[in-house]
Amino acid sequence: MDSILYLYAIVVVLAASLAIITVWAPRKLWVRVTAVVFAGLLMPTAYASLNELLSRPKPMSLEWARKSVPEATVVGSRVREGEAIYLWLQMAGLDEPRAYMLPWSKNLAKQLHKAQREAGKRGGAVGMRMPFEATLDQSEQRFYARPQARPPLKPRPSQAPLQYQHPRGSS
């Protein structure tokens, strides 16, 4: 969410800079006023479009910043047959999961469904190999069931364990 505010601030600075340049340009008054009005309309339009994009899954083909991510955890998914595969992915180094969209593929949908069943049986999660890699090989296994994570080790007791002593002399 923070990056959206920074992007919007950059758009506002650029639009204001263009409006200032236009005002000082040797043009007719109606041309300068029109340019300032357009710059003023650009700012709320940019804000509305950035906010609208927040609720939409990003097509995986458009992800360039995380292109080299080796794997991700599938937090949630929804398959719409004939349309798309929607994924909610958690990646290492990010605090919150991200929403992505894969183009429809029967093979990928089968892989995802199989991995979800196996992960449910094992009590693990579903992983995805090379999520942003564009591969031409449709038979490549991209979704898999991760094994259940090992529980944390128990701490060693700081004291010696209690010893039972039989009471003497009782009958």
Side-chain angles (χ1 to χ4, degrees), residues 124-169:
V126 176
M128 184 177 185
R129 291 183 187 93
M130 301 300 290
F132 307 112
E133 184 77 24
T135 61
L136 298 175
D137 185 13
Q138 291 293 324
S139 64
E140 182 181 341
Q141 188 71 23
R142 301 216 28 208
F143 295 102
Y144 63 96
R146 287 189 174 163
Q148 184 177 11
R150 184 179 77 164
L153 297 175
K154 294 182 179 178
R156 298 194 80 168
S158 58
Q159 303 174 355
L162 296 176
Q163 301 273 333
Y164 176 74
Q165 292 181 350
H166 190 316
R168 295 182 188 174

Side-chain angles (χ1 to χ4, degrees), residues 90-148:
Q90 178 69 54
M91 290 164 274
L94 293 177
D95 292 334
E96 63 276 336
R98 306 283 168 100
Y100 292 99
M101 178 180 71
L102 274 171
W104 169 251
S105 165
K106 187 175 183 178
N107 184 36
L108 285 177
K110 284 181 180 180
Q111 286 181 25
L112 177 62
H113 185 66
K114 181 181 175 187
Q116 286 173 330
R117 277 187 299 169
E118 287 179 19
K121 288 177 188 175
R122 293 184 195 170
V126 176
M128 184 177 185
R129 291 183 187 93
M130 301 300 290
F132 307 112
E133 184 77 24
T135 61
L136 298 175
D137 185 13
Q138 291 293 324
S139 64
E140 182 181 341
Q141 188 71 23
R142 301 216 28 208
F143 295 102
Y144 63 96
R146 287 189 174 163
Q148 184 177 11

Side-chain angles (χ1 to χ4, degrees), residues 32-101:
R32 292 187 287 177
V33 169
T34 304
V36 170
V37 168
F38 284 166
L41 291 174
L42 174 66
M43 293 178 210
T45 304
Y47 182 77
S49 65
L50 288 175
N51 273 333
E52 177 65 21
L53 287 176
L54 283 176
S55 65
R56 307 256 182 197
K58 179 191 247 183
M60 287 188 136
S61 60
L62 296 181
E63 181 64 78
W64 53 269
R66 292 175 191 80
K67 196 80 164 164
S68 63
V69 170
E71 68 177 353
T73 302
V74 179
V75 179
S77 67
R78 181 169 186 202
V79 177
R80 296 187 81 180
E81 193 170 338
E83 186 179 323
I85 300 172
Y86 299 99
L87 300 170
W88 208 28
L89 300 179
Q90 178 69 54
M91 290 164 274
L94 293 177
D95 292 334
E96 63 276 336
R98 306 283 168 100
Y100 292 99
M101 178 180 71

